[in-house]
Amino acid sequence: MASPHHKQPTAFLNHGGGPLPILDDPGHASLSKSIRQFAQSLSVAPVAVVLVTAHWLEKNGPGVTSAANPKLLFDYYGFPSQAYTLTYNAPGDPALAARVAGLLRGAGENAKAAFVSHALTLICTAPGFDRTHQTDRAWDHGTFVPMMIGFPDAEIPIVQLSLLASQDPSQHLAMGRALAPLRDEGVLILGSGMSYHNMRAFKGAGVADLNAAASAKFDSWLSQTCTEVSPRCFHDVLLCVIHRGDCTGNCSRTSRPAHKMGQCSGCTRVSPTQCCRAFVATIGRGRRSWRRRRNSNI
């Protein structure tokens, strides 16, 4: 186990299509391999994992799982029967859940005080964090799929963390800043989702090659942007990515940014998973995750 003083990295993991990666789907072989390689690359095992899943959005403040032995939530449909009998018996961590909730509530209270005194701009506030709540919600596939692949022994405690239903990028960036101290306590912070999530575009005859090319283009641009941008500009660039999905310069805003987060014409719709990616990148600049997580077209 890691020392509380061993600093853990952060990473964004592509969990693929539903349970397919753990059902030995050939199309997910490279994705599963990349997750295993990431887990094996950790120099010291984490004492616990905080996993931010794109499949859980909360309206009234962030949600944190605090059960000692969480169940699995099979939040998908249309898959073989074995996809609904999966087990992953890793423990929860009620103490860590309380620590996560405390950090977020503290950030919320500090932001309120700072806003009242005009010490911070609106972009730095964390409204709603004081309403962070602990719950016995089960782990969804955004959590158990990558953990089953990367950490099959199920020995590392996990706390699952929601996104905010507002999908407001500034709030998620503030969440990342609030939780960054956990890295110095031996906690591995993961985001789980997909950067390219235009699921509608993957359906229909004769579009597979076109969409694969669009996905590769977007992933290349996104990775380069988030690994090579200067620290001074990084925050602004992430906001631009989330609001506009700007990979070609030809992006148009949607009428419902809270729902779609932005529309990039000819490329991809930016989903809630983009918040995960920005969240994780903010905690540790995300350099490791951008280079290791590929296969965003799956």
Side-chain angles (χ1 to χ4, degrees):
M1 300 298 283
S3 163
H5 301 292
H6 180 85
K7 189 170 187 176
Q8 287 290 335
T10 65
F12 176 94
L13 302 178
N14 183 348
H15 66 246
L20 290 176
I22 50 180
L23 296 180
D24 296 325
D25 174 64
H28 285 75
S30 59
L31 182 150
S32 298
K33 180 180 179 180
S34 71
I35 295 177
R36 285 192 292 269
Q37 288 177 334
F38 167 74
Q40 293 165 3
S41 74
L42 298 174
S43 59
V44 179
V47 297
V49 169
V50 170
L51 195 145
V52 189
T53 173
H55 289 278
W56 182 19
L57 282 74
E58 285 285 341
K59 293 182 179 180
N60 299 314
V64 184
T65 59
S66 58
N69 301 105
K71 298 179 180 179
L72 302 187
L73 174 63
F74 304 122
D75 53 336
Y76 42 69
Y77 60 91
F79 292 96
S81 58
Q82 59 265 39
Y84 304 92
T85 59
L86 298 168
T87 60
Y88 188 68
N89 297 319
D93 192 332
L96 177 58
R99 170 80 170 129
V100 169
L103 288 171
L104 292 175
R105 289 180 187 131
E109 292 298 332
N110 291 338
K112 279 185 174 181
F115 183 69
V116 170
S117 66
H118 303 286
L120 291 178
T121 61
L122 180 60
I123 203 170
C124 295
T125 63
F129 288 10
D130 56 313
R131 297 192 298 274
T132 300
H133 56 283
Q134 299 180 58
T135 172
D136 60 357
R137 183 184 189 274
W139 292 336
D140 59 55
H141 76 276
T143 293
F144 68 76
V145 167
M147 291 301 296
M148 288 178 71
I149 296 171
F151 305 91
D153 293 338
E155 296 177 344
I156 301 174
I158 304 168
V159 168
Q160 181 176 268
L161 178 63
S162 78
L163 293 175
L164 298 171
S166 68
Q167 298 182 38
D168 181 271
S170 295
Q171 290 181 300
H172 290 89
L173 293 171
M175 288 173 68
R177 287 190 294 269
L179 298 182
L182 293 176
R183 297 179 59 199
D184 294 312
E185 300 171 17
V187 176
L188 173 64
I189 302 178
L190 298 175
S192 172
M194 284 194 285
S195 62
Y196 188 92
H197 206 263
N198 192 344
M199 303 307 291
R200 186 178 301 175
F202 286 108
K203 298 180 181 180
V207 298
D209 292 341
L210 177 63
N211 289 318
S215 173
K217 181 178 181 181
F218 179 75
D219 192 58
S220 176
W221 174 87
L222 190 60
S223 296
Q224 182 179 10
T225 298
C226 292
T227 56
E228 298 180 8
V229 171
S230 68
R232 178 175 297 181
C233 300
F234 186 63
H235 179 273
D236 292 339
V237 169
L238 281 180
L239 294 183
C240 182
V241 170
I242 297 171
H243 277 306
R244 298 175 55 201
D246 193 358
C247 59
T248 64
N250 297 316
C251 301
S252 59
R253 293 183 182 274
T254 67
S255 59
R256 300 176 62 192
H259 177 63
K260 293 185 178 179
M261 298 301 296
Q263 180 81 26
C264 179
S265 56
C267 185
T268 184
R269 175 173 66 197
V270 181
S271 72
T273 63
Q274 199 63 39
C275 281
C276 266
R277 210 165 183 181
F279 179 107
V280 173
T282 303
I283 297 172
R285 278 304 304 272
R287 292 183 181 274
R288 188 173 199 171
S289 78
W290 303 108
R291 289 173 178 161
R292 289 188 176 276
R293 193 224 46 81
R294 314 304 297 173
N295 307 313
S296 63
N297 60 321
I298 295 177

